[in-house]
Amino acid sequence: MNVAQAICQALVREGVRIAAGITGQSVGHLADALSLEPGVALFYTRQERAAIDICDGYARVTGVPGVVFTDAGPAAANAIGGLVNSWGDSTPLLFIAGHNDRHDTLRRQVKEIPFTELFAPGCKWKIGRAHV
């Protein structure tokens, strides 16, 4: 079992039944694991806000949070408007954004943003992975 599969199994144990987003190099393994989970409806979107809206609507109707996933950098930034809308209405969502390798980020070879600082005002809980 890899990390993405373990995350997916934990999400299913917590009751997640829907996920939406745009896959990319930093979240591809998670999207793959979600696609293999029979209990999770998976939607690939063409814009990050659409993924938020899918999961937001589902959560408003059912009370069960959906999972939104995006690639790193600008892709994650595209989700901010939807996240603020969901946060303002207290709609439960779990947002998972990919992150590039720290060595590439430090050399500015990739477009990356400081996620935890950027998303802090519009979320109830946030965590960034440790640099390993």
Side-chain angles (χ1 to χ4, degrees):
M1 175 183 302
N2 64 32
V3 173
Q5 292 166 333
I7 291 170
C8 184
Q9 287 183 3
L11 293 172
V12 169
R13 278 195 308 272
E14 291 298 320
V16 169
R17 297 293 174 255
I18 189 170
I22 298 177
T23 189
Q25 68 183 20
S26 61
V27 292
H29 294 296
L30 178 62
D32 290 345
L34 287 166
S35 72
L36 297 173
E37 189 60 51
V40 176
L42 181 61
F43 297 89
Y44 289 107
T45 62
R46 293 184 180 193
Q47 211 279 340
E48 294 80 6
R49 175 64 191 256
I52 298 280
D53 290 343
I54 289 169
C55 291
D56 180 277
Y58 180 83
R60 287 173 190 258
V61 171
T62 66
V64 177
V67 174
V68 178
F69 58 91
T70 68
D71 204 8
N78 285 341
I80 290 175
L83 290 171
V84 169
N85 184 62
S86 296
W87 174 77
D89 290 341
S90 298
T91 306
L93 290 177
L94 176 61
F95 176 64
I96 300 175
H99 196 282
N100 290 297
D101 180 87
R102 76 179 176 108
H103 297 293
D104 292 340
T105 301
L106 294 173
R107 292 192 306 259
R108 302 201 39 88
Q109 291 181 328
V110 293
K111 295 177 182 174
E112 195 58 83
I113 57 175
F115 290 118
T116 53
E117 294 85 359
L118 186 64
F119 292 111
C123 65
K124 293 183 180 178
W125 182 75
K126 63 184 176 0
I127 188 168
R129 71 167 170 84
H131 292 298
V132 291

